[in-house]
Amino acid sequence: MIELRMEKKAAVNNYQRLQDKLANGDIVIMDGAVGTELQRRGVAMQGRAWCALATETHPQILETIHRDYISAGAEIIIANTFASTREILNPLQMGDKFVDLNKRAVEIAINASSHTQQPVLVAGSIAHTRPTRVGEWSPARSPAQFEDDCYQMACLHKAGGCDFIMAEMLGDIEYSPAIMRAVQAARLPLWLGFSALAGAGGAAGGLVTYSSAATDFSKAIGAIGCAGADVAGMMHTEAPLTQTALALLKAQWAGVTMTYPDSMPKRRQEKEALDLSQQISEQQFVQYCQQWRAAGVQVFGGCCGLSVTHIAALAEAFK
């Protein structure tokens, strides 16, 4: 019991050190993509379950990816739980894997973070968006059921040692707040990652939410809000759109901002494997991040398509 309390105290101190760093105006580097990095290393994606089952089938490769990002300069790694929600698993008759996949993914990330002298934080990932359903997502469970699922998920992540929860690909005005309430009920720090797509000209900035091509991105931000979050920003949004999306977010959020864009120009294809042939270069990625840094962003990472080499280049540029 004493050892457990000491570990939890250390985790709190690490998160507080990170918050102090951000309050001082410093830069923090996150990891890059996990799903596409698994695919790049030969792990088959599982349709709508995407990278969830890799936790079970290829734990060594997953841990190596986490370690590689840490070696590249990441101060935060995100556990492979993006696609481990009941929202994804239940319709695929994989709901019985919910607890084990979440526990194991966090365990793998925590283990990777323990093999370094520098403090590395581990975030749990919770999202409401199903992979490979761009603009066509429809909920399988009610917001109340989903909130309860997210609370269970957040509690599993907390028990496993996660420092905070990264709520990812937010945009739905009912299901996004469900994640936020669940994380706060579990008493974990909350970071918000919103996602946007190019939409019709009538949308503010020409952007819509990832989960609904009919929902204006700026209006969705206003409806969802950022109450209770420590950090908010843009994720899984194409780099050329991110600056516009950031401006819309910053008009309604005065706190610390982050960016972890994707680089998947062909991601709208409905297939298990994604095309990894057209990523932006490391130099382009760094240039985008420098542009966002000039706009006040402090936390940087990468999403689909962006690899260890991108994070290494970013860490070197901001060293």
Side-chain angles (χ1 to χ4, degrees), residues 1-10:
M1 291 297 292
I2 293 175
E3 186 175 65
L4 178 61
R5 284 196 293 268
M6 289 176 66
E7 289 176 357
K8 286 186 178 296
K9 182 178 180 182

Side-chain angles (χ1 to χ4, degrees), residues 286-297:
V286 169
Q287 289 173 343
Y288 276 120
C289 290
Q290 289 170 332
Q291 176 185 352
W292 302 327
R293 175 57 181 158
V297 174

Side-chain angles (χ1 to χ4, degrees), residues 244-309:
T244 300
L246 271 174
L248 296 173
L249 174 63
K250 287 169 73 69
Q252 304 181 65
W253 166 250
V256 176
T257 51
M258 66 181 172
T259 56
Y260 52 123
D262 72 358
S263 182
M264 299 300 302
K266 293 186 178 181
R267 69 175 184 269
R268 291 172 179 80
Q269 299 181 58
E270 290 276 353
K271 60 182 183 178
E272 294 186 1
L274 295 178
D275 186 344
L276 301 180
S277 64
Q278 298 188 40
Q279 285 73 57
I280 58 176
S281 68
E282 290 83 356
Q283 181 181 11
Q284 288 173 308
F285 175 59
V286 169
Q287 289 173 343
Y288 276 120
C289 290
Q290 289 170 332
Q291 176 185 352
W292 302 327
R293 175 57 181 158
V297 174
Q298 290 180 252
V299 184
F300 300 87
C303 196
C304 295
L306 297 176
S307 185
V308 173
T309 57

Side-chain angles (χ1 to χ4, degrees), residues 12 40 47-48 89 147 153 204 307:
V12 170
R40 185 177 279 111
R48 297 279 170 82
L89 297 176
E147 185 171 337
M153 200 169 175
S307 185

Side-chain angles (χ1 to χ4, degrees), residues 42-263:
V43 179
M45 297 294 99
Q46 302 294 324
R48 297 279 170 82
W50 185 227
C51 57
L53 297 187
T55 297
E56 179 180 80
T57 61
H58 294 80
Q60 296 87 0
I61 294 178
L62 177 57
E63 183 170 334
T64 299
I65 290 171
H66 288 316
R67 290 199 195 194
D68 287 349
Y69 277 124
I70 293 169
S71 297
E75 301 165 71
I76 298 170
I77 58 173
I78 303 176
N80 185 39
T81 59
F82 167 79
S84 298
T85 63
R86 291 193 189 279
E87 198 73 6
I88 290 174
L89 297 176
N90 283 5
L92 301 173
Q93 288 73 54
M94 296 179 185
D96 60 324
K97 296 180 181 290
F98 172 76
V99 172
D100 287 343
L101 286 176
N102 279 281
K103 282 185 174 181
R104 188 73 178 112
V106 172
E107 179 184 347
I108 290 168
I110 292 291
N111 194 52
S113 72
S114 69
H115 290 275
T116 178
Q117 296 300 313
Q118 73 232 45
V120 175
L121 277 70
V122 174
S125 166
I126 303 179
H128 66 57
T129 305
R130 298 182 191 175
T132 73
R133 276 283 192 176
V134 179
E136 298 178 3
W137 176 81
S138 60
R141 292 164 71 80
S142 72
Q145 289 174 315
F146 180 62
E147 185 171 337
D148 184 61
D149 294 342
C150 291
Y151 176 73
Q152 294 177 41
M153 200 169 175
C155 288
L156 289 170
H157 295 181
K158 182 178 182 178
C162 284
D163 297 284
F164 66 97
I165 296 295
M166 185 76 77
E168 297 196 303
M169 294 184 71
L170 301 182
D172 186 273
I173 62 175
E174 286 188 295
Y175 287 78
S176 297
I179 299 176
M180 296 160 67
R181 290 191 298 267
V183 173
Q184 291 168 327
R187 299 185 180 277
L188 272 172
L190 172 66
W191 291 26
L192 305 177
F194 294 94
S195 298
L197 292 168
L207 299 181
V208 295
T209 67
Y210 191 94
S211 52
S212 172
T215 304
D216 179 286
F217 177 71
S218 181
K219 292 179 180 178
I221 296 293
I224 296 166
C226 300
D230 288 338
V231 177
M234 297 306 306
M235 63 86 58
H236 200 71
T237 299
E238 291 180 17
L241 302 178
T242 294
Q243 186 75 5
T244 300
L246 271 174
L248 296 173
L249 174 63
K250 287 169 73 69
Q252 304 181 65
W253 166 250
V256 176
T257 51
M258 66 181 172
T259 56
Y260 52 123
D262 72 358
S263 182

